[in-house]
Each structure stands twice: as C-alpha cells, then as structure tokens.
Amino acid sequence: MTEREPLLAALEWQLAAGVNEVVGFEPADRFAPPPERKAPPVPPPAPGAAPVVAPPAAAEPASAGDVARTADLDALRELLLAFDGCALKKTATNTVFGEGPAGARLMIVGEAPGADEDRQGRPFVGPSGRLLERMLAAIGLGREDVYIANTVYWRPPGNRTPSAEEVEACRPFIDRQIALVAPEVLMLTGGAAAKTLLGTTEGIMRLRGRWQRFGTPGGPVDVMPTFHPAFLLRSPARKREAWRDLLAVRARLESGAP
Ligand code: URA
C-alpha cells in the first residue's frame, strides 16, 4: 500500500460522513478564549512634561449605537469589516456587504451568502443571483438599478441556516443599510429575511404577496416579501406567484402607492 491510499481512504470516509467543505487548513480551537488585547507601552514622561494619558487598551467592538450613527454606506462597510461579533466571520473567505446605487428605489434582501458569494465577496452572484437578475429583467430593471444585500454578511459553513445569534449580531448592520439606502420598496426574498426584518414567525407561504411596512428613522418603507430564488430553482411551479409579487413591486414603483 502506498502512502497515498490511506490518505485517499480517509478522504473518502469524510465525504461519506458528509464533510464536503474545507473551512480552514489549520485546525482551530473554537472554544478557546479570545487572545488578551494589551495596551501599547506608554513611554515615561520627559522631566517637566505634562502627564501622558494612556490610550485605551483596544478599540471597542462596534456597538449598535455606532452602527446606527454611521453617516453613509462606506462608513458602515468599514465598521462591518472591523466587526468581530459574529462567529461566521471566522470561517468565511470574504465579507459580503451589499452592493448597488446608494439611492436605489428598490432594495432586495436575501438570507446569507452562499459559496459563490463567499468566493467573490458580492451578494447574489451564484445560481440564485442569476435567477434574481432574470426576475428583475422581467420588470424592466437591471441589477445595477437595485441595491442588493443579505441579513447576514458571511457564509454559514455548508450553507446551513444562520443561527438566531448570528442573525441578531448582524441585525444592526442590515437595519442601518436599509435606512441609508432609503429605498421606496424593500423586497425580502425568502422566509429568513422576512422573519428577521418583519419580526414575525409567519412563514413565507403566508407572508408573500402581502404588503408590509418596515420602520426606519427616515420613515416607513413598503415591503414585499416573496419567495427566495433558490426556492424557485427547486420549485419552478411557484414562479407564477413570484411573478405576481414582482408585478406588484413594479406597479408600486410606477404609481408611488402600494
Ligand atoms: N442566497 C442569498 O440569500 N443571498 C445571496 O447572496 C446568495 C444566495
């Protein structure tokens, strides 16, 4: 037996056990406490000089208040890149912030980045994104006309559903992103986005197609919950209902009223 055979057998065993994703090349102890952050050394004051005030030990992680005070999307992105409060960041390759024009009239929010989004650092660029683009084209919109984001900013390993804690940690960022884009219409794709942002336990089957409101500091935004493109790829018969939702969004954008 060569050295290669046992290694291949071990890999096959892992595949059979359902391991289909490499999230890092070094083993990591996820239960270890975070390393202590030390304050930089303060040089002794020169004779007769005013006392030196020590700098804070470390930058505080972004609080919901910091997030809510960001002036624009660039500042929000910077804060998100420095934010370590969501465990998903540790296993993701990229942070997937939203993209699109800051003043877009339509904003779309999905659940979480998948493998393609994680690789490219952009939302909705995989198969779901391609269907989303075709859906938008059907109502005369291009991807470049809309602002696209997710309720969490890092890919959950193996595309699992983000936990309530992970969604909660990211929540101030999506709230602020919506407030800064200030769209006329917010389209929530899938049950996860709808439940998170509408604060409801109702499923997407009941929610879709019914206008809702989302409160922002600038005033309420009209919300259309609809099916997630990934669900439509698996259940193409439901495209008829999604089409009705898109027509309602188009009519709202054309007339200014739901
Ligand atoms: N699914 C989502 O909800 N968001 C993406 O960005 C990609 C797939």
Side-chain angles (χ1 to χ4, degrees), residues 96 109-114 117 122-126 128-129 148-150 189 228 230:
V96 181
V109 179
E111 180 178 341
E117 289 75 22
R122 296 178 56 210
F124 279 102
V125 289
S128 292
I148 306 179
N150 282 301
T189 61
H228 194 285

Side-chain angles (χ1 to χ4, degrees), residues 68 175-176 178-183 214-221:
D175 283 351
R176 187 64 186 153
I178 296 168
L180 289 169
V181 175
F214 179 82
T216 76
V221 176

Side-chain angles (χ1 to χ4, degrees), residues 152-191:
V152 302
Y153 295 90
W154 298 278
R155 180 194 182 203
N159 293 348
R160 66 164 168 78
T161 304
S163 71
E165 290 74 23
E166 290 156 357
V167 171
E168 202 46 42
C170 295
R171 180 71 204 259
F173 289 94
I174 187 62
D175 283 351
R176 187 64 186 153
Q177 214 168 358
I178 296 168
L180 289 169
V181 175
E184 282 169 51
V185 176
L186 187 58
M187 194 165 89
L188 305 179
T189 61

